[in-house]
PDB file of all heavy atoms in Angstrom:
ATOM      1  N   VAL A   1    -149.477 -13.056  27.883  1.00 60.00           N
ATOM      2  CA  VAL A   1    -150.262 -14.201  27.469  1.00 60.00           C
ATOM      3  C   VAL A   1    -150.182 -14.208  25.960  1.00 60.00           C
ATOM      4  O   VAL A   1    -150.648 -13.330  25.297  1.00 60.00           O
ATOM      5  CB  VAL A   1    -151.752 -14.085  27.930  1.00 60.00           C
ATOM      6  CG1 VAL A   1    -152.570 -15.242  27.399  1.00 60.00           C
ATOM      7  CG2 VAL A   1    -151.824 -14.035  29.446  1.00 60.00           C
ATOM      8  N   PHE A   2    -149.567 -15.249  25.435  1.00 67.00           N
ATOM      9  CA  PHE A   2    -149.383 -15.357  23.994  1.00 67.00           C
ATOM     10  C   PHE A   2    -150.513 -16.166  23.404  1.00 67.00           C
ATOM     11  O   PHE A   2    -151.164 -16.921  24.088  1.00 67.00           O
ATOM     12  CB  PHE A   2    -148.048 -16.061  23.693  1.00 67.00           C
ATOM     13  CG  PHE A   2    -146.856 -15.275  24.160  1.00 67.00           C
ATOM     14  CD1 PHE A   2    -146.208 -15.641  25.327  1.00 67.00           C
ATOM     15  CD2 PHE A   2    -146.398 -14.180  23.459  1.00 67.00           C
ATOM     16  CE1 PHE A   2    -145.102 -14.914  25.760  1.00 67.00           C
ATOM     17  CE2 PHE A   2    -145.316 -13.470  23.894  1.00 67.00           C
ATOM     18  CZ  PHE A   2    -144.631 -13.832  25.046  1.00 67.00           C
ATOM     19  N   ASP A   3    -150.748 -15.989  22.129  1.00 67.00           N
ATOM     20  CA  ASP A   3    -151.744 -16.797  21.428  1.00 67.00           C
ATOM     21  C   ASP A   3    -151.147 -18.175  21.184  1.00 67.00           C
ATOM     22  O   ASP A   3    -150.335 -18.344  20.258  1.00 67.00           O
ATOM     23  CB  ASP A   3    -152.195 -16.138  20.140  1.00 67.00           C
ATOM     24  CG  ASP A   3    -152.975 -14.876  20.392  1.00 67.00           C
ATOM     25  OD1 ASP A   3    -153.699 -14.849  21.418  1.00 67.00           O
ATOM     26  OD2 ASP A   3    -152.897 -13.933  19.585  1.00 67.00           O
ATOM     27  N   GLU A   4    -151.483 -19.120  22.040  1.00 71.00           N
ATOM     28  CA  GLU A   4    -150.950 -20.486  21.971  1.00 71.00           C
ATOM     29  C   GLU A   4    -152.082 -21.423  21.789  1.00 71.00           C
ATOM     30  O   GLU A   4    -153.248 -21.085  21.926  1.00 71.00           O
ATOM     31  CB  GLU A   4    -150.241 -20.833  23.275  1.00 71.00           C
ATOM     32  CG  GLU A   4    -149.183 -19.830  23.715  1.00 71.00           C
ATOM     33  CD  GLU A   4    -148.693 -20.109  25.123  1.00 71.00           C
ATOM     34  OE1 GLU A   4    -149.479 -20.556  25.985  1.00 71.00           O
ATOM     35  OE2 GLU A   4    -147.522 -19.851  25.386  1.00 71.00           O
ATOM     36  N   THR A   5    -151.750 -22.667  21.524  1.00 72.00           N
ATOM     37  CA  THR A   5    -152.758 -23.752  21.499  1.00 72.00           C
ATOM     38  C   THR A   5    -152.283 -24.784  22.499  1.00 72.00           C
ATOM     39  O   THR A   5    -151.185 -25.287  22.332  1.00 72.00           O
ATOM     40  CB  THR A   5    -152.890 -24.327  20.114  1.00 72.00           C
ATOM     41  OG1 THR A   5    -153.201 -23.283  19.188  1.00 72.00           O
ATOM     42  CG2 THR A   5    -153.952 -25.403  20.058  1.00 72.00           C
ATOM     43  N   PRO A   6    -153.016 -25.120  23.519  1.00 76.00           N
ATOM     44  CA  PRO A   6    -154.293 -24.485  23.905  1.00 76.00           C
ATOM     45  C   PRO A   6    -154.044 -23.116  24.501  1.00 76.00           C
ATOM     46  O   PRO A   6    -152.989 -22.868  25.081  1.00 76.00           O
ATOM     47  CB  PRO A   6    -154.863 -25.463  24.942  1.00 76.00           C
ATOM     48  CG  PRO A   6    -153.689 -26.143  25.543  1.00 76.00           C
ATOM     49  CD  PRO A   6    -152.653 -26.222  24.455  1.00 76.00           C
ATOM     50  N   GLN A   7    -155.031 -22.262  24.367  1.00 83.00           N
ATOM     51  CA  GLN A   7    -154.874 -20.867  24.773  1.00 83.00           C
ATOM     52  C   GLN A   7    -155.031 -20.717  26.277  1.00 83.00           C
ATOM     53  O   GLN A   7    -156.021 -21.187  26.852  1.00 83.00           O
ATOM     54  CB  GLN A   7    -155.861 -19.973  24.041  1.00 83.00           C
ATOM     55  CG  GLN A   7    -155.604 -18.504  24.279  1.00 83.00           C
ATOM     56  CD  GLN A   7    -156.499 -17.633  23.433  1.00 83.00           C
ATOM     57  OE1 GLN A   7    -157.537 -18.061  22.980  1.00 83.00           O
ATOM     58  NE2 GLN A   7    -156.084 -16.382  23.253  1.00 83.00           N
ATOM     59  N   LYS A   8    -154.062 -20.041  26.918  1.00 82.00           N
ATOM     60  CA  LYS A   8    -154.141 -19.781  28.350  1.00 82.00           C
ATOM     61  C   LYS A   8    -155.163 -18.691  28.627  1.00 82.00           C
ATOM     62  O   LYS A   8    -155.356 -17.793  27.794  1.00 82.00           O
ATOM     63  CB  LYS A   8    -152.783 -19.333  28.884  1.00 82.00           C
ATOM     64  CG  LYS A   8    -151.737 -20.416  28.871  1.00 82.00           C
ATOM     65  CD  LYS A   8    -150.423 -19.899  29.419  1.00 82.00           C
ATOM     66  CE  LYS A   8    -149.326 -20.900  29.274  1.00 82.00           C
ATOM     67  NZ  LYS A   8    -148.055 -20.387  29.731  1.00 82.00           N
ATOM     68  N   SER A   9    -155.755 -18.743  29.784  1.00 83.00           N
ATOM     69  CA  SER A   9    -156.748 -17.753  30.188  1.00 83.00           C
ATOM     70  C   SER A   9    -156.072 -16.400  30.370  1.00 83.00           C
ATOM     71  O   SER A   9    -154.947 -16.299  30.864  1.00 83.00           O
ATOM     72  CB  SER A   9    -157.390 -18.185  31.488  1.00 83.00           C
ATOM     73  OG  SER A   9    -158.207 -17.158  32.006  1.00 83.00           O
ATOM     74  N   ARG A  10    -156.795 -15.359  30.011  1.00 78.00           N
ATOM     75  CA  ARG A  10    -156.343 -14.000  30.285  1.00 78.00           C
ATOM     76  C   ARG A  10    -157.075 -13.450  31.507  1.00 78.00           C
ATOM     77  O   ARG A  10    -156.777 -12.339  31.931  1.00 78.00           O
ATOM     78  CB  ARG A  10    -156.621 -13.095  29.055  1.00 78.00           C
ATOM     79  CG  ARG A  10    -155.785 -13.487  27.868  1.00 78.00           C
ATOM     80  CD  ARG A  10    -156.190 -12.670  26.643  1.00 78.00           C
ATOM     81  NE  ARG A  10    -155.605 -13.200  25.438  1.00 78.00           N
ATOM     82  CZ  ARG A  10    -154.571 -12.644  24.808  1.00 78.00           C
ATOM     83  NH1 ARG A  10    -154.042 -11.557  25.221  1.00 78.00           N
ATOM     84  NH2 ARG A  10    -154.106 -13.204  23.711  1.00 78.00           N
ATOM     85  N   ARG A  11    -158.031 -14.208  32.047  1.00 80.00           N
ATOM     86  CA  ARG A  11    -158.807 -13.770  33.186  1.00 80.00           C
ATOM     87  C   ARG A  11    -158.250 -14.277  34.525  1.00 80.00           C
ATOM     88  O   ARG A  11    -158.574 -13.751  35.577  1.00 80.00           O
ATOM     89  CB  ARG A  11    -160.259 -14.254  33.053  1.00 80.00           C
ATOM     90  CG  ARG A  11    -160.940 -13.611  31.843  1.00 80.00           C
ATOM     91  CD  ARG A  11    -162.243 -14.267  31.560  1.00 80.00           C
ATOM     92  NE  ARG A  11    -163.276 -13.798  32.496  1.00 80.00           N
ATOM     93  CZ  ARG A  11    -164.493 -14.247  32.490  1.00 80.00           C
ATOM     94  NH1 ARG A  11    -164.893 -15.182  31.640  1.00 80.00           N
ATOM     95  NH2 ARG A  11    -165.376 -13.796  33.368  1.00 80.00           N
ATOM     96  N   PHE A  12    -157.418 -15.329  34.487  1.00 80.00           N
ATOM     97  CA  PHE A  12    -156.848 -15.885  35.684  1.00 80.00           C
ATOM     98  C   PHE A  12    -155.334 -15.577  35.677  1.00 80.00           C
ATOM     99  O   PHE A  12    -154.666 -15.767  34.687  1.00 80.00           O
ATOM    100  CB  PHE A  12    -157.061 -17.379  35.731  1.00 80.00           C
ATOM    101  CG  PHE A  12    -158.464 -17.807  36.045  1.00 80.00           C
ATOM    102  CD1 PHE A  12    -159.453 -17.752  35.096  1.00 80.00           C
ATOM    103  CD2 PHE A  12    -158.787 -18.214  37.323  1.00 80.00           C
ATOM    104  CE1 PHE A  12    -160.751 -18.121  35.373  1.00 80.00           C
ATOM    105  CE2 PHE A  12    -160.091 -18.577  37.625  1.00 80.00           C
ATOM    106  CZ  PHE A  12    -161.064 -18.535  36.652  1.00 80.00           C
ATOM    107  N   VAL A  13    -154.828 -15.122  36.801  1.00 79.00           N
ATOM    108  CA  VAL A  13    -153.410 -14.821  36.926  1.00 79.00           C
ATOM    109  C   VAL A  13    -152.636 -16.066  37.291  1.00 79.00           C
ATOM    110  O   VAL A  13    -153.025 -16.799  38.219  1.00 79.00           O
ATOM    111  CB  VAL A  13    -153.177 -13.750  38.009  1.00 79.00           C
ATOM    112  CG1 VAL A  13    -151.695 -13.470  38.212  1.00 79.00           C
ATOM    113  CG2 VAL A  13    -153.916 -12.468  37.656  1.00 79.00           C
ATOM    114  N   GLN A  14    -151.594 -16.338  36.534  1.00 83.00           N
ATOM    115  CA  GLN A  14    -150.737 -17.498  36.816  1.00 83.00           C
ATOM    116  C   GLN A  14    -149.909 -17.242  38.079  1.00 83.00           C
ATOM    117  O   GLN A  14    -149.317 -16.201  38.196  1.00 83.00           O
ATOM    118  CB  GLN A  14    -149.799 -17.778  35.638  1.00 83.00           C
ATOM    119  CG  GLN A  14    -148.895 -18.950  35.844  1.00 83.00           C
ATOM    120  CD  GLN A  14    -149.614 -20.278  35.923  1.00 83.00           C
ATOM    121  OE1 GLN A  14    -150.590 -20.494  35.231  1.00 83.00           O
ATOM    122  NE2 GLN A  14    -149.136 -21.160  36.745  1.00 83.00           N
ATOM    123  N   LYS A  15    -149.945 -18.164  39.011  1.00 86.00           N
ATOM    124  CA  LYS A  15    -149.157 -18.042  40.236  1.00 86.00           C
ATOM    125  C   LYS A  15    -147.857 -18.846  40.110  1.00 86.00           C
ATOM    126  O   LYS A  15    -147.860 -19.902  39.438  1.00 86.00           O
ATOM    127  CB  LYS A  15    -149.958 -18.536  41.445  1.00 86.00           C
ATOM    128  CG  LYS A  15    -151.253 -17.784  41.640  1.00 86.00           C
ATOM    129  CD  LYS A  15    -151.043 -16.370  41.974  1.00 86.00           C
ATOM    130  CE  LYS A  15    -152.403 -15.672  42.253  1.00 86.00           C
ATOM    131  NZ  LYS A  15    -152.305 -14.278  42.373  1.00 86.00           N
ATOM    132  N   HIS A  16    -146.824 -18.376  40.725  1.00 88.00           N
ATOM    133  CA  HIS A  16    -145.525 -19.023  40.677  1.00 88.00           C
ATOM    134  C   HIS A  16    -144.921 -19.127  42.104  1.00 88.00           C
ATOM    135  O   HIS A  16    -143.997 -18.387  42.446  1.00 88.00           O
ATOM    136  CB  HIS A  16    -144.555 -18.251  39.775  1.00 88.00           C
ATOM    137  CG  HIS A  16    -144.972 -18.216  38.357  1.00 88.00           C
ATOM    138  ND1 HIS A  16    -144.770 -19.247  37.512  1.00 88.00           N
ATOM    139  CD2 HIS A  16    -145.556 -17.209  37.652  1.00 88.00           C
ATOM    140  CE1 HIS A  16    -145.216 -18.923  36.300  1.00 88.00           C
ATOM    141  NE2 HIS A  16    -145.689 -17.699  36.372  1.00 88.00           N
ATOM    142  N   PRO A  17    -145.465 -19.983  42.957  1.00 93.00           N
ATOM    143  CA  PRO A  17    -144.922 -20.068  44.322  1.00 93.00           C
ATOM    144  C   PRO A  17    -143.557 -20.738  44.337  1.00 93.00           C
ATOM    145  O   PRO A  17    -143.258 -21.629  43.552  1.00 93.00           O
ATOM    146  CB  PRO A  17    -145.947 -20.921  45.046  1.00 93.00           C
ATOM    147  CG  PRO A  17    -146.655 -21.698  44.006  1.00 93.00           C
ATOM    148  CD  PRO A  17    -146.601 -20.863  42.741  1.00 93.00           C
ATOM    149  N   GLY A  18    -142.741 -20.277  45.244  1.00 94.00           N
ATOM    150  CA  GLY A  18    -141.411 -20.861  45.416  1.00 94.00           C
ATOM    151  C   GLY A  18    -140.533 -19.910  46.231  1.00 94.00           C
ATOM    152  O   GLY A  18    -140.967 -18.810  46.601  1.00 94.00           O
ATOM    153  N   PHE A  19    -139.308 -20.305  46.506  1.00 92.00           N
ATOM    154  CA  PHE A  19    -138.386 -19.421  47.188  1.00 92.00           C
ATOM    155  C   PHE A  19    -136.938 -19.796  46.870  1.00 92.00           C
ATOM    156  O   PHE A  19    -136.653 -20.912  46.512  1.00 92.00           O
ATOM    157  CB  PHE A  19    -138.637 -19.375  48.688  1.00 92.00           C
ATOM    158  CG  PHE A  19    -138.484 -20.711  49.404  1.00 92.00           C
ATOM    159  CD1 PHE A  19    -137.250 -21.057  49.940  1.00 92.00           C
ATOM    160  CD2 PHE A  19    -139.531 -21.545  49.529  1.00 92.00           C
ATOM    161  CE1 PHE A  19    -137.095 -22.269  50.603  1.00 92.00           C
ATOM    162  CE2 PHE A  19    -139.406 -22.769  50.192  1.00 92.00           C
ATOM    163  CZ  PHE A  19    -138.189 -23.135  50.734  1.00 92.00           C
ATOM    164  N   VAL A  20    -136.104 -18.793  46.981  1.00 93.00           N
ATOM    165  CA  VAL A  20    -134.693 -18.904  46.692  1.00 93.00           C
ATOM    166  C   VAL A  20    -133.915 -18.440  47.930  1.00 93.00           C
ATOM    167  O   VAL A  20    -134.223 -17.418  48.506  1.00 93.00           O
ATOM    168  CB  VAL A  20    -134.265 -17.995  45.514  1.00 93.00           C
ATOM    169  CG1 VAL A  20    -132.770 -18.071  45.248  1.00 93.00           C
ATOM    170  CG2 VAL A  20    -135.053 -18.317  44.270  1.00 93.00           C
ATOM    171  N   VAL A  21    -132.889 -19.196  48.297  1.00 93.00           N
ATOM    172  CA  VAL A  21    -131.956 -18.744  49.316  1.00 93.00           C
ATOM    173  C   VAL A  21    -130.722 -18.266  48.611  1.00 93.00           C
ATOM    174  O   VAL A  21    -130.087 -19.030  47.878  1.00 93.00           O
ATOM    175  CB  VAL A  21    -131.617 -19.873  50.331  1.00 93.00           C
ATOM    176  CG1 VAL A  21    -130.550 -19.418  51.292  1.00 93.00           C
ATOM    177  CG2 VAL A  21    -132.900 -20.323  51.079  1.00 93.00           C
ATOM    178  N   ALA A  22    -130.395 -16.988  48.781  1.00 93.00           N
ATOM    179  CA  ALA A  22    -129.205 -16.431  48.147  1.00 93.00           C
ATOM    180  C   ALA A  22    -128.050 -16.405  49.164  1.00 93.00           C
ATOM    181  O   ALA A  22    -128.271 -16.023  50.305  1.00 93.00           O
ATOM    182  CB  ALA A  22    -129.497 -15.002  47.667  1.00 93.00           C
ATOM    183  N   THR A  23    -126.897 -16.833  48.725  1.00 94.00           N
ATOM    184  CA  THR A  23    -125.753 -16.883  49.596  1.00 94.00           C
ATOM    185  C   THR A  23    -124.885 -15.651  49.517  1.00 94.00           C
ATOM    186  O   THR A  23    -123.990 -15.432  50.360  1.00 94.00           O
ATOM    187  CB  THR A  23    -124.864 -18.099  49.279  1.00 94.00           C
ATOM    188  OG1 THR A  23    -124.496 -18.061  47.917  1.00 94.00           O
ATOM    189  CG2 THR A  23    -125.635 -19.403  49.570  1.00 94.00           C
ATOM    190  N   LYS A  24    -125.175 -14.801  48.522  1.00 95.00           N
ATOM    191  CA  LYS A  24    -124.431 -13.543  48.387  1.00 95.00           C
ATOM    192  C   LYS A  24    -125.249 -12.608  47.510  1.00 95.00           C
ATOM    193  O   LYS A  24    -126.305 -12.992  46.982  1.00 95.00           O
ATOM    194  CB  LYS A  24    -123.050 -13.754  47.774  1.00 95.00           C
ATOM    195  CG  LYS A  24    -123.053 -14.460  46.407  1.00 95.00           C
ATOM    196  CD  LYS A  24    -121.650 -14.700  45.925  1.00 95.00           C
ATOM    197  CE  LYS A  24    -121.691 -15.501  44.620  1.00 95.00           C
ATOM    198  NZ  LYS A  24    -120.379 -15.757  44.099  1.00 95.00           N
ATOM    199  N   ASN A  25    -124.805 -11.364  47.359  1.00 94.00           N
ATOM    200  CA  ASN A  25    -125.512 -10.356  46.487  1.00 94.00           C
ATOM    201  C   ASN A  25    -126.934 -10.096  46.938  1.00 94.00           C
ATOM    202  O   ASN A  25    -127.771  -9.703  46.132  1.00 94.00           O
ATOM    203  CB  ASN A  25    -125.484 -10.783  45.037  1.00 94.00           C
ATOM    204  CG  ASN A  25    -124.134 -10.961  44.461  1.00 94.00           C
ATOM    205  OD1 ASN A  25    -123.208 -10.212  44.754  1.00 94.00           O
ATOM    206  ND2 ASN A  25    -123.927 -12.002  43.659  1.00 94.00           N
ATOM    207  N   LYS A  26    -127.258 -10.293  48.212  1.00 93.00           N
ATOM    208  CA  LYS A  26    -128.623 -10.131  48.681  1.00 93.00           C
ATOM    209  C   LYS A  26    -129.182  -8.723  48.417  1.00 93.00           C
ATOM    210  O   LYS A  26    -130.303  -8.591  47.917  1.00 93.00           O
ATOM    211  CB  LYS A  26    -128.744 -10.502  50.165  1.00 93.00           C
ATOM    212  CG  LYS A  26    -128.461 -11.976  50.398  1.00 93.00           C
ATOM    213  CD  LYS A  26    -128.454 -12.322  51.867  1.00 93.00           C
ATOM    214  CE  LYS A  26    -127.950 -13.752  52.028  1.00 93.00           C
ATOM    215  NZ  LYS A  26    -127.765 -14.114  53.405  1.00 93.00           N
ATOM    216  N   GLN A  27    -128.418  -7.716  48.775  1.00 95.00           N
ATOM    217  CA  GLN A  27    -128.929  -6.327  48.580  1.00 95.00           C
ATOM    218  C   GLN A  27    -129.090  -6.021  47.091  1.00 95.00           C
ATOM    219  O   GLN A  27    -130.046  -5.331  46.719  1.00 95.00           O
ATOM    220  CB  GLN A  27    -127.971  -5.343  49.270  1.00 95.00           C
ATOM    221  CG  GLN A  27    -128.003  -5.459  50.766  1.00 95.00           C
ATOM    222  CD  GLN A  27    -129.397  -5.361  51.376  1.00 95.00           C
ATOM    223  OE1 GLN A  27    -130.195  -4.508  50.980  1.00 95.00           O
ATOM    224  NE2 GLN A  27    -129.699  -6.243  52.309  1.00 95.00           N
TER     225      GLN A  27
END
């Protein structure tokens, strides 16, 4: 959490939902 304007909360965790389908290099 950087000191930005406006400042992001340090008490709430940012969530990043999503998914990736990999066609190779899975392991």
Side-chain angles (χ1 to χ4, degrees):
V1 176
F2 297 101
D3 291 329
E4 307 170 327
T5 304
Q7 190 173 20
K8 292 180 186 176
S9 171
R10 294 174 191 255
R11 296 170 77 182
F12 286 78
V13 176
Q14 179 66 36
K15 302 295 183 188
H16 296 282
F19 61 92
V20 177
V21 174
T23 57
K24 58 184 177 179
N25 300 321
K26 294 175 189 173
Q27 293 306 316

